[in-house]
Amino acid sequence: KDFQVTPHVSIRECLFENIDKKDWSSAISIGRFVTLDHEQSLLRETLTHRGKAELNGQIGLVVELFHNTLRFCSGGVTAYESNLLAHGNKAEDIKYAAFHIFNGVASLEENEINRCASALTARSGPSKITGSAKLNLRSNLLQNSEIGLRVATSVSGALLQLEMAQDSLRNLGNGSILQ
């Protein structure tokens, strides 16, 4: 393949297991610590007339996760200011969140999440740029977890968009928390 200008990572059919030495350990950590300068320059170009960053899918780091298994970890996938595409993954027995998205774009399809503290958390909030998060969920199974879906903005002016279709939330302590 030709070299791509936008950083791109693809992880397929891998097993991430027993990654739990520290509470803040995640099976997969994605984001700003790798590409902050590039992401900021892209987002500055898309500033709206209000001075808020608008996400148009132009995030510096694109990560694809296909058919991976994550189990017995402190955290599953933690994505900061990135573009995450997750399809057909299984996450089970995750101590905290199976997927945690912060100020980024995420498309999650046909993932199975079972027995986690939180199946999916997403937050837009403070960073060196104005926070924005865009989530597209389709045909995911979130079950037997304390919290199924939690999305929130944590600062005035942060933008958050959520679209769900054909997702199943079953046997949860709390189904959805929208703040």
Side-chain angles (χ1 to χ4, degrees), residues 134-173:
K134 180 178 181 181
L135 305 169
N136 294 304
L137 309 177
R138 184 171 195 80
S139 301
N140 297 287
L141 174 59
L142 290 65
Q143 65 182 358
N144 303 315
S145 298
E146 186 57 34
I147 298 173
L149 172 65
R150 180 180 183 186
V151 294
T153 59
S154 61
V155 66
S156 179
L159 306 174
L160 179 65
Q161 180 178 345
L162 169 66
E163 295 180 20
M164 294 178 69
Q166 301 172 339
D167 294 287
S168 295
L169 287 76
R170 299 180 186 159
N171 301 322
L172 303 168

PDB file of all heavy atoms in Angstrom, residues 134-173:
ATOM      1  N   LYS A 134     -18.730  12.141  18.506  1.00  0.00           N
ATOM      2  CA  LYS A 134     -19.774  11.664  17.602  1.00  0.00           C
ATOM      3  C   LYS A 134     -19.748  10.146  17.626  1.00  0.00           C
ATOM      4  O   LYS A 134     -18.725   9.535  17.341  1.00  0.00           O
ATOM      5  CB  LYS A 134     -19.541  12.180  16.180  1.00  0.00           C
ATOM      6  CG  LYS A 134     -20.591  11.728  15.211  1.00  0.00           C
ATOM      7  CD  LYS A 134     -20.355  12.308  13.837  1.00  0.00           C
ATOM      8  CE  LYS A 134     -21.447  11.841  12.880  1.00  0.00           C
ATOM      9  NZ  LYS A 134     -21.224  12.386  11.539  1.00  0.00           N
ATOM     10  N   LEU A 135     -20.889   9.533  17.984  1.00  0.00           N
ATOM     11  CA  LEU A 135     -20.980   8.088  18.103  1.00  0.00           C
ATOM     12  C   LEU A 135     -22.056   7.550  17.178  1.00  0.00           C
ATOM     13  O   LEU A 135     -23.176   8.055  17.165  1.00  0.00           O
ATOM     14  CB  LEU A 135     -21.352   7.693  19.531  1.00  0.00           C
ATOM     15  CG  LEU A 135     -20.457   8.234  20.630  1.00  0.00           C
ATOM     16  CD1 LEU A 135     -21.088   7.992  21.974  1.00  0.00           C
ATOM     17  CD2 LEU A 135     -19.116   7.570  20.547  1.00  0.00           C
ATOM     18  N   ASN A 136     -21.709   6.507  16.441  1.00  0.00           N
ATOM     19  CA  ASN A 136     -22.657   5.791  15.610  1.00  0.00           C
ATOM     20  C   ASN A 136     -22.632   4.336  16.049  1.00  0.00           C
ATOM     21  O   ASN A 136     -21.607   3.674  15.933  1.00  0.00           O
ATOM     22  CB  ASN A 136     -22.277   5.900  14.131  1.00  0.00           C
ATOM     23  CG  ASN A 136     -22.381   7.317  13.624  1.00  0.00           C
ATOM     24  OD1 ASN A 136     -23.424   7.934  13.724  1.00  0.00           O
ATOM     25  ND2 ASN A 136     -21.285   7.833  13.104  1.00  0.00           N
ATOM     26  N   LEU A 137     -23.766   3.855  16.574  1.00  0.00           N
ATOM     27  CA  LEU A 137     -23.867   2.490  17.066  1.00  0.00           C
ATOM     28  C   LEU A 137     -24.883   1.730  16.224  1.00  0.00           C
ATOM     29  O   LEU A 137     -25.964   2.254  15.930  1.00  0.00           O
ATOM     30  CB  LEU A 137     -24.315   2.477  18.530  1.00  0.00           C
ATOM     31  CG  LEU A 137     -23.541   3.363  19.497  1.00  0.00           C
ATOM     32  CD1 LEU A 137     -24.146   3.294  20.885  1.00  0.00           C
ATOM     33  CD2 LEU A 137     -22.083   2.961  19.527  1.00  0.00           C
ATOM     34  N   ARG A 138     -24.506   0.493  15.840  1.00  0.00           N
ATOM     35  CA  ARG A 138     -25.420  -0.306  15.031  1.00  0.00           C
ATOM     36  C   ARG A 138     -25.248  -1.789  15.345  1.00  0.00           C
ATOM     37  O   ARG A 138     -24.145  -2.318  15.272  1.00  0.00           O
ATOM     38  CB  ARG A 138     -25.175  -0.057  13.550  1.00  0.00           C
ATOM     39  CG  ARG A 138     -26.151  -0.778  12.649  1.00  0.00           C
ATOM     40  CD  ARG A 138     -25.976  -0.305  11.206  1.00  0.00           C
ATOM     41  NE  ARG A 138     -27.081  -0.700  10.395  1.00  0.00           N
ATOM     42  CZ  ARG A 138     -28.261  -0.087  10.337  1.00  0.00           C
ATOM     43  NH1 ARG A 138     -28.476   0.964  11.073  1.00  0.00           N
ATOM     44  NH2 ARG A 138     -29.215  -0.535   9.561  1.00  0.00           N
ATOM     45  N   SER A 139     -26.341  -2.415  15.709  1.00  0.00           N
ATOM     46  CA  SER A 139     -26.402  -3.871  15.901  1.00  0.00           C
ATOM     47  C   SER A 139     -25.416  -4.394  16.932  1.00  0.00           C
ATOM     48  O   SER A 139     -24.861  -5.480  16.772  1.00  0.00           O
ATOM     49  CB  SER A 139     -26.191  -4.595  14.561  1.00  0.00           C
ATOM     50  OG  SER A 139     -27.172  -4.204  13.622  1.00  0.00           O
ATOM     51  N   ASN A 140     -25.187  -3.636  17.997  1.00  0.00           N
ATOM     52  CA  ASN A 140     -24.333  -4.089  19.093  1.00  0.00           C
ATOM     53  C   ASN A 140     -25.181  -4.779  20.155  1.00  0.00           C
ATOM     54  O   ASN A 140     -26.355  -4.460  20.327  1.00  0.00           O
ATOM     55  CB  ASN A 140     -23.602  -2.902  19.731  1.00  0.00           C
ATOM     56  CG  ASN A 140     -22.663  -2.232  18.751  1.00  0.00           C
ATOM     57  OD1 ASN A 140     -21.624  -2.763  18.418  1.00  0.00           O
ATOM     58  ND2 ASN A 140     -23.051  -1.061  18.275  1.00  0.00           N
ATOM     59  N   LEU A 141     -24.579  -5.699  20.884  1.00  0.00           N
ATOM     60  CA  LEU A 141     -25.231  -6.367  22.003  1.00  0.00           C
ATOM     61  C   LEU A 141     -24.503  -5.961  23.276  1.00  0.00           C
ATOM     62  O   LEU A 141     -23.324  -6.260  23.444  1.00  0.00           O
ATOM     63  CB  LEU A 141     -25.185  -7.889  21.831  1.00  0.00           C
ATOM     64  CG  LEU A 141     -25.713  -8.709  23.018  1.00  0.00           C
ATOM     65  CD1 LEU A 141     -27.169  -8.367  23.324  1.00  0.00           C
ATOM     66  CD2 LEU A 141     -25.546 -10.202  22.728  1.00  0.00           C
ATOM     67  N   LEU A 142     -25.196  -5.247  24.153  1.00  0.00           N
ATOM     68  CA  LEU A 142     -24.652  -4.814  25.440  1.00  0.00           C
ATOM     69  C   LEU A 142     -25.464  -5.522  26.518  1.00  0.00           C
ATOM     70  O   LEU A 142     -26.667  -5.268  26.634  1.00  0.00           O
ATOM     71  CB  LEU A 142     -24.775  -3.305  25.600  1.00  0.00           C
ATOM     72  CG  LEU A 142     -23.902  -2.402  24.728  1.00  0.00           C
ATOM     73  CD1 LEU A 142     -24.221  -2.492  23.260  1.00  0.00           C
ATOM     74  CD2 LEU A 142     -24.012  -0.973  25.181  1.00  0.00           C
ATOM     75  N   GLN A 143     -24.828  -6.413  27.287  1.00  0.00           N
ATOM     76  CA  GLN A 143     -25.606  -7.204  28.234  1.00  0.00           C
ATOM     77  C   GLN A 143     -24.840  -7.534  29.499  1.00  0.00           C
ATOM     78  O   GLN A 143     -23.611  -7.506  29.526  1.00  0.00           O
ATOM     79  CB  GLN A 143     -26.089  -8.500  27.577  1.00  0.00           C
ATOM     80  CG  GLN A 143     -24.980  -9.445  27.185  1.00  0.00           C
ATOM     81  CD  GLN A 143     -25.517 -10.693  26.490  1.00  0.00           C
ATOM     82  OE1 GLN A 143     -26.722 -10.866  26.335  1.00  0.00           O
ATOM     83  NE2 GLN A 143     -24.622 -11.563  26.076  1.00  0.00           N
ATOM     84  N   ASN A 144     -25.626  -7.821  30.548  1.00  0.00           N
ATOM     85  CA  ASN A 144     -25.096  -8.278  31.834  1.00  0.00           C
ATOM     86  C   ASN A 144     -24.020  -7.366  32.402  1.00  0.00           C
ATOM     87  O   ASN A 144     -23.039  -7.829  32.981  1.00  0.00           O
ATOM     88  CB  ASN A 144     -24.562  -9.712  31.709  1.00  0.00           C
ATOM     89  CG  ASN A 144     -25.608 -10.671  31.221  1.00  0.00           C
ATOM     90  OD1 ASN A 144     -26.746 -10.643  31.688  1.00  0.00           O
ATOM     91  ND2 ASN A 144     -25.245 -11.502  30.272  1.00  0.00           N
ATOM     92  N   SER A 145     -24.177  -6.070  32.213  1.00  0.00           N
ATOM     93  CA  SER A 145     -23.226  -5.082  32.716  1.00  0.00           C
ATOM     94  C   SER A 145     -23.949  -4.129  33.655  1.00  0.00           C
ATOM     95  O   SER A 145     -25.173  -4.014  33.620  1.00  0.00           O
ATOM     96  CB  SER A 145     -22.587  -4.311  31.553  1.00  0.00           C
ATOM     97  OG  SER A 145     -21.865  -5.183  30.709  1.00  0.00           O
ATOM     98  N   GLU A 146     -23.199  -3.452  34.509  1.00  0.00           N
ATOM     99  CA  GLU A 146     -23.812  -2.513  35.440  1.00  0.00           C
ATOM    100  C   GLU A 146     -24.432  -1.329  34.688  1.00  0.00           C
ATOM    101  O   GLU A 146     -25.545  -0.922  34.962  1.00  0.00           O
ATOM    102  CB  GLU A 146     -22.789  -2.020  36.465  1.00  0.00           C
ATOM    103  CG  GLU A 146     -23.380  -1.162  37.555  1.00  0.00           C
ATOM    104  CD  GLU A 146     -24.495  -1.855  38.341  1.00  0.00           C
ATOM    105  OE1 GLU A 146     -24.442  -3.074  38.549  1.00  0.00           O
ATOM    106  OE2 GLU A 146     -25.448  -1.149  38.742  1.00  0.00           O
ATOM    107  N   ILE A 147     -23.705  -0.764  33.717  1.00  0.00           N
ATOM    108  CA  ILE A 147     -24.206   0.341  32.898  1.00  0.00           C
ATOM    109  C   ILE A 147     -24.052  -0.054  31.437  1.00  0.00           C
ATOM    110  O   ILE A 147     -22.971  -0.481  31.012  1.00  0.00           O
ATOM    111  CB  ILE A 147     -23.420   1.644  33.157  1.00  0.00           C
ATOM    112  CG1 ILE A 147     -23.591   2.088  34.609  1.00  0.00           C
ATOM    113  CG2 ILE A 147     -23.883   2.752  32.205  1.00  0.00           C
ATOM    114  CD1 ILE A 147     -22.713   3.263  35.005  1.00  0.00           C
ATOM    115  N   GLY A 148     -25.111   0.087  30.663  1.00  0.00           N
ATOM    116  CA  GLY A 148     -25.043  -0.237  29.246  1.00  0.00           C
ATOM    117  C   GLY A 148     -24.370   0.868  28.449  1.00  0.00           C
ATOM    118  O   GLY A 148     -23.356   0.662  27.806  1.00  0.00           O
ATOM    119  N   LEU A 149     -24.927   2.057  28.531  1.00  0.00           N
ATOM    120  CA  LEU A 149     -24.454   3.174  27.725  1.00  0.00           C
ATOM    121  C   LEU A 149     -24.488   4.436  28.574  1.00  0.00           C
ATOM    122  O   LEU A 149     -25.517   4.759  29.175  1.00  0.00           O
ATOM    123  CB  LEU A 149     -25.362   3.340  26.503  1.00  0.00           C
ATOM    124  CG  LEU A 149     -25.169   4.552  25.618  1.00  0.00           C
ATOM    125  CD1 LEU A 149     -23.804   4.487  24.939  1.00  0.00           C
ATOM    126  CD2 LEU A 149     -26.269   4.617  24.581  1.00  0.00           C
ATOM    127  N   ARG A 150     -23.365   5.132  28.627  1.00  0.00           N
ATOM    128  CA  ARG A 150     -23.324   6.411  29.337  1.00  0.00           C
ATOM    129  C   ARG A 150     -22.646   7.432  28.435  1.00  0.00           C
ATOM    130  O   ARG A 150     -21.498   7.248  28.033  1.00  0.00           O
ATOM    131  CB  ARG A 150     -22.540   6.304  30.635  1.00  0.00           C
ATOM    132  CG  ARG A 150     -22.511   7.629  31.357  1.00  0.00           C
ATOM    133  CD  ARG A 150     -21.760   7.558  32.640  1.00  0.00           C
ATOM    134  NE  ARG A 150     -21.845   8.863  33.281  1.00  0.00           N
ATOM    135  CZ  ARG A 150     -21.213   9.182  34.368  1.00  0.00           C
ATOM    136  NH1 ARG A 150     -20.457   8.303  34.976  1.00  0.00           N
ATOM    137  NH2 ARG A 150     -21.333  10.384  34.877  1.00  0.00           N
ATOM    138  N   VAL A 151     -23.353   8.490  28.093  1.00  0.00           N
ATOM    139  CA  VAL A 151     -22.783   9.568  27.286  1.00  0.00           C
ATOM    140  C   VAL A 151     -23.003  10.882  28.013  1.00  0.00           C
ATOM    141  O   VAL A 151     -24.048  11.099  28.621  1.00  0.00           O
ATOM    142  CB  VAL A 151     -23.371   9.618  25.855  1.00  0.00           C
ATOM    143  CG1 VAL A 151     -22.986   8.376  25.062  1.00  0.00           C
ATOM    144  CG2 VAL A 151     -24.872   9.772  25.868  1.00  0.00           C
ATOM    145  N   ALA A 152     -22.009  11.743  27.972  1.00  0.00           N
ATOM    146  CA  ALA A 152     -22.100  12.994  28.722  1.00  0.00           C
ATOM    147  C   ALA A 152     -21.185  14.055  28.133  1.00  0.00           C
ATOM    148  O   ALA A 152     -20.164  13.740  27.520  1.00  0.00           O
ATOM    149  CB  ALA A 152     -21.705  12.754  30.182  1.00  0.00           C
ATOM    150  N   THR A 153     -21.555  15.292  28.344  1.00  0.00           N
ATOM    151  CA  THR A 153     -20.650  16.406  28.088  1.00  0.00           C
ATOM    152  C   THR A 153     -20.210  16.912  29.454  1.00  0.00           C
ATOM    153  O   THR A 153     -20.996  16.939  30.393  1.00  0.00           O
ATOM    154  CB  THR A 153     -21.324  17.552  27.309  1.00  0.00           C
ATOM    155  OG1 THR A 153     -22.433  18.026  28.056  1.00  0.00           O
ATOM    156  CG2 THR A 153     -21.792  17.080  25.938  1.00  0.00           C
ATOM    157  N   SER A 154     -18.953  17.288  29.554  1.00  0.00           N
ATOM    158  CA  SER A 154     -18.464  17.694  30.870  1.00  0.00           C
ATOM    159  C   SER A 154     -18.027  19.149  30.916  1.00  0.00           C
ATOM    160  O   SER A 154     -17.465  19.586  31.891  1.00  0.00           O
ATOM    161  CB  SER A 154     -17.291  16.795  31.282  1.00  0.00           C
ATOM    162  OG  SER A 154     -16.245  16.926  30.365  1.00  0.00           O
ATOM    163  N   VAL A 155     -18.332  19.895  29.875  1.00  0.00           N
ATOM    164  CA  VAL A 155     -17.987  21.307  29.862  1.00  0.00           C
ATOM    165  C   VAL A 155     -18.965  22.030  28.938  1.00  0.00           C
ATOM    166  O   VAL A 155     -19.423  21.469  27.935  1.00  0.00           O
ATOM    167  CB  VAL A 155     -16.513  21.528  29.413  1.00  0.00           C
ATOM    168  CG1 VAL A 155     -16.318  21.127  27.967  1.00  0.00           C
ATOM    169  CG2 VAL A 155     -16.072  22.951  29.647  1.00  0.00           C
ATOM    170  N   SER A 156     -19.317  23.232  29.272  1.00  0.00           N
ATOM    171  CA  SER A 156     -20.205  24.020  28.439  1.00  0.00           C
ATOM    172  C   SER A 156     -19.571  24.236  27.067  1.00  0.00           C
ATOM    173  O   SER A 156     -18.393  24.541  26.962  1.00  0.00           O
ATOM    174  CB  SER A 156     -20.470  25.365  29.118  1.00  0.00           C
ATOM    175  OG  SER A 156     -21.298  26.146  28.311  1.00  0.00           O
ATOM    176  N   GLY A 157     -20.352  24.059  26.036  1.00  0.00           N
ATOM    177  CA  GLY A 157     -19.845  24.256  24.683  1.00  0.00           C
ATOM    178  C   GLY A 157     -19.351  22.985  24.020  1.00  0.00           C
ATOM    179  O   GLY A 157     -19.066  22.973  22.831  1.00  0.00           O
ATOM    180  N   ALA A 158     -19.252  21.895  24.772  1.00  0.00           N
ATOM    181  CA  ALA A 158     -18.826  20.635  24.177  1.00  0.00           C
ATOM    182  C   ALA A 158     -19.968  20.080  23.327  1.00  0.00           C
ATOM    183  O   ALA A 158     -21.131  20.202  23.677  1.00  0.00           O
ATOM    184  CB  ALA A 158     -18.431  19.640  25.260  1.00  0.00           C
ATOM    185  N   LEU A 159     -19.623  19.489  22.213  1.00  0.00           N
ATOM    186  CA  LEU A 159     -20.614  18.957  21.289  1.00  0.00           C
ATOM    187  C   LEU A 159     -20.670  17.434  21.400  1.00  0.00           C
ATOM    188  O   LEU A 159     -19.639  16.776  21.524  1.00  0.00           O
ATOM    189  CB  LEU A 159     -20.249  19.347  19.853  1.00  0.00           C
ATOM    190  CG  LEU A 159     -20.038  20.844  19.601  1.00  0.00           C
ATOM    191  CD1 LEU A 159     -19.533  21.078  18.194  1.00  0.00           C
ATOM    192  CD2 LEU A 159     -21.326  21.606  19.848  1.00  0.00           C
ATOM    193  N   LEU A 160     -21.888  16.874  21.333  1.00  0.00           N
ATOM    194  CA  LEU A 160     -22.046  15.432  21.447  1.00  0.00           C
ATOM    195  C   LEU A 160     -23.181  14.991  20.533  1.00  0.00           C
ATOM    196  O   LEU A 160     -24.262  15.580  20.553  1.00  0.00           O
ATOM    197  CB  LEU A 160     -22.366  15.051  22.896  1.00  0.00           C
ATOM    198  CG  LEU A 160     -22.584  13.574  23.184  1.00  0.00           C
ATOM    199  CD1 LEU A 160     -21.304  12.786  22.947  1.00  0.00           C
ATOM    200  CD2 LEU A 160     -23.051  13.387  24.613  1.00  0.00           C
ATOM    201  N   GLN A 161     -22.904  13.975  19.732  1.00  0.00           N
ATOM    202  CA  GLN A 161     -23.918  13.425  18.844  1.00  0.00           C
ATOM    203  C   GLN A 161     -23.931  11.909  18.995  1.00  0.00           C
ATOM    204  O   GLN A 161     -22.880  11.271  18.978  1.00  0.00           O
ATOM    205  CB  GLN A 161     -23.610  13.800  17.394  1.00  0.00           C
ATOM    206  CG  GLN A 161     -24.614  13.274  16.401  1.00  0.00           C
ATOM    207  CD  GLN A 161     -24.299  13.708  14.983  1.00  0.00           C
ATOM    208  OE1 GLN A 161     -23.496  14.608  14.768  1.00  0.00           O
ATOM    209  NE2 GLN A 161     -24.921  13.066  14.025  1.00  0.00           N
ATOM    210  N   LEU A 162     -25.124  11.319  19.141  1.00  0.00           N
ATOM    211  CA  LEU A 162     -25.278   9.875  19.295  1.00  0.00           C
ATOM    212  C   LEU A 162     -26.360   9.394  18.350  1.00  0.00           C
ATOM    213  O   LEU A 162     -27.457   9.938  18.325  1.00  0.00           O
ATOM    214  CB  LEU A 162     -25.660   9.526  20.741  1.00  0.00           C
ATOM    215  CG  LEU A 162     -26.109   8.090  21.001  1.00  0.00           C
ATOM    216  CD1 LEU A 162     -24.963   7.111  20.785  1.00  0.00           C
ATOM    217  CD2 LEU A 162     -26.679   7.960  22.405  1.00  0.00           C
ATOM    218  N   GLU A 163     -26.033   8.364  17.564  1.00  0.00           N
ATOM    219  CA  GLU A 163     -27.014   7.707  16.712  1.00  0.00           C
ATOM    220  C   GLU A 163     -26.952   6.218  16.992  1.00  0.00           C
ATOM    221  O   GLU A 163     -25.871   5.626  16.973  1.00  0.00           O
ATOM    222  CB  GLU A 163     -26.726   7.981  15.237  1.00  0.00           C
ATOM    223  CG  GLU A 163     -26.868   9.433  14.857  1.00  0.00           C
ATOM    224  CD  GLU A 163     -26.582   9.694  13.378  1.00  0.00           C
ATOM    225  OE1 GLU A 163     -26.636   8.734  12.583  1.00  0.00           O
ATOM    226  OE2 GLU A 163     -26.311  10.845  13.044  1.00  0.00           O
ATOM    227  N   MET A 164     -28.119   5.619  17.276  1.00  0.00           N
ATOM    228  CA  MET A 164     -28.206   4.185  17.560  1.00  0.00           C
ATOM    229  C   MET A 164     -29.255   3.559  16.659  1.00  0.00           C
ATOM    230  O   MET A 164     -30.296   4.169  16.411  1.00  0.00           O
ATOM    231  CB  MET A 164     -28.615   3.935  19.007  1.00  0.00           C
ATOM    232  CG  MET A 164     -27.617   4.359  20.045  1.00  0.00           C
ATOM    233  SD  MET A 164     -28.226   4.062  21.735  1.00  0.00           S
ATOM    234  CE  MET A 164     -28.215   2.272  21.803  1.00  0.00           C
ATOM    235  N   ALA A 165     -28.968   2.332  16.198  1.00  0.00           N
ATOM    236  CA  ALA A 165     -29.944   1.592  15.396  1.00  0.00           C
ATOM    237  C   ALA A 165     -29.725   0.098  15.601  1.00  0.00           C
ATOM    238  O   ALA A 165     -28.595  -0.393  15.498  1.00  0.00           O
ATOM    239  CB  ALA A 165     -29.810   1.951  13.917  1.00  0.00           C
ATOM    240  N   GLN A 166     -30.772  -0.599  15.927  1.00  0.00           N
ATOM    241  CA  GLN A 166     -30.777  -2.055  16.039  1.00  0.00           C
ATOM    242  C   GLN A 166     -29.810  -2.588  17.101  1.00  0.00           C
ATOM    243  O   GLN A 166     -29.304  -3.696  16.989  1.00  0.00           O
ATOM    244  CB  GLN A 166     -30.485  -2.696  14.679  1.00  0.00           C
ATOM    245  CG  GLN A 166     -31.495  -2.297  13.622  1.00  0.00           C
ATOM    246  CD  GLN A 166     -31.122  -2.749  12.235  1.00  0.00           C
ATOM    247  OE1 GLN A 166     -29.972  -3.019  11.951  1.00  0.00           O
ATOM    248  NE2 GLN A 166     -32.107  -2.817  11.370  1.00  0.00           N
ATOM    249  N   ASP A 167     -29.547  -1.798  18.130  1.00  0.00           N
ATOM    250  CA  ASP A 167     -28.703  -2.252  19.235  1.00  0.00           C
ATOM    251  C   ASP A 167     -29.586  -2.931  20.281  1.00  0.00           C
ATOM    252  O   ASP A 167     -30.762  -2.599  20.420  1.00  0.00           O
ATOM    253  CB  ASP A 167     -27.961  -1.073  19.875  1.00  0.00           C
ATOM    254  CG  ASP A 167     -26.967  -0.455  18.920  1.00  0.00           C
ATOM    255  OD1 ASP A 167     -25.930  -1.078  18.676  1.00  0.00           O
ATOM    256  OD2 ASP A 167     -27.243   0.651  18.418  1.00  0.00           O
ATOM    257  N   SER A 168     -29.018  -3.894  21.009  1.00  0.00           N
ATOM    258  CA  SER A 168     -29.740  -4.581  22.079  1.00  0.00           C
ATOM    259  C   SER A 168     -29.054  -4.314  23.408  1.00  0.00           C
ATOM    260  O   SER A 168     -27.857  -4.549  23.540  1.00  0.00           O
ATOM    261  CB  SER A 168     -29.756  -6.090  21.824  1.00  0.00           C
ATOM    262  OG  SER A 168     -30.482  -6.382  20.654  1.00  0.00           O
ATOM    263  N   LEU A 169     -29.816  -3.813  24.380  1.00  0.00           N
ATOM    264  CA  LEU A 169     -29.322  -3.596  25.729  1.00  0.00           C
ATOM    265  C   LEU A 169     -30.134  -4.513  26.639  1.00  0.00           C
ATOM    266  O   LEU A 169     -31.345  -4.335  26.777  1.00  0.00           O
ATOM    267  CB  LEU A 169     -29.490  -2.137  26.146  1.00  0.00           C
ATOM    268  CG  LEU A 169     -28.536  -1.135  25.502  1.00  0.00           C
ATOM    269  CD1 LEU A 169     -28.911  -0.820  24.079  1.00  0.00           C
ATOM    270  CD2 LEU A 169     -28.452   0.115  26.317  1.00  0.00           C
ATOM    271  N   ARG A 170     -29.459  -5.518  27.251  1.00  0.00           N
ATOM    272  CA  ARG A 170     -30.173  -6.543  28.018  1.00  0.00           C
ATOM    273  C   ARG A 170     -29.540  -6.756  29.386  1.00  0.00           C
ATOM    274  O   ARG A 170     -28.323  -6.741  29.524  1.00  0.00           O
ATOM    275  CB  ARG A 170     -30.118  -7.879  27.279  1.00  0.00           C
ATOM    276  CG  ARG A 170     -30.743  -7.877  25.931  1.00  0.00           C
ATOM    277  CD  ARG A 170     -30.628  -9.253  25.309  1.00  0.00           C
ATOM    278  NE  ARG A 170     -31.118  -9.220  23.946  1.00  0.00           N
ATOM    279  CZ  ARG A 170     -30.797 -10.102  23.031  1.00  0.00           C
ATOM    280  NH1 ARG A 170     -29.995 -11.091  23.318  1.00  0.00           N
ATOM    281  NH2 ARG A 170     -31.285 -10.003  21.828  1.00  0.00           N
ATOM    282  N   ASN A 171     -30.384  -7.012  30.366  1.00  0.00           N
ATOM    283  CA  ASN A 171     -29.942  -7.384  31.711  1.00  0.00           C
ATOM    284  C   ASN A 171     -28.874  -6.433  32.260  1.00  0.00           C
ATOM    285  O   ASN A 171     -27.795  -6.860  32.650  1.00  0.00           O
ATOM    286  CB  ASN A 171     -29.409  -8.825  31.714  1.00  0.00           C
ATOM    287  CG  ASN A 171     -30.448  -9.818  31.271  1.00  0.00           C
ATOM    288  OD1 ASN A 171     -31.615  -9.685  31.606  1.00  0.00           O
ATOM    289  ND2 ASN A 171     -30.032 -10.800  30.502  1.00  0.00           N
ATOM    290  N   LEU A 172     -29.187  -5.164  32.272  1.00  0.00           N
ATOM    291  CA  LEU A 172     -28.254  -4.144  32.719  1.00  0.00           C
ATOM    292  C   LEU A 172     -28.725  -3.535  34.029  1.00  0.00           C
ATOM    293  O   LEU A 172     -29.931  -3.388  34.259  1.00  0.00           O
ATOM    294  CB  LEU A 172     -28.116  -3.045  31.663  1.00  0.00           C
ATOM    295  CG  LEU A 172     -27.676  -3.516  30.280  1.00  0.00           C
ATOM    296  CD1 LEU A 172     -27.865  -2.411  29.259  1.00  0.00           C
ATOM    297  CD2 LEU A 172     -26.219  -3.970  30.311  1.00  0.00           C
ATOM    298  N   GLY A 173     -27.772  -3.144  34.880  1.00  0.00           N
ATOM    299  CA  GLY A 173     -28.122  -2.421  36.101  1.00  0.00           C
ATOM    300  C   GLY A 173     -28.795  -1.100  35.758  1.00  0.00           C
ATOM    301  O   GLY A 173     -29.828  -0.734  36.297  1.00  0.00           O
TER     302      GLY A 173
END
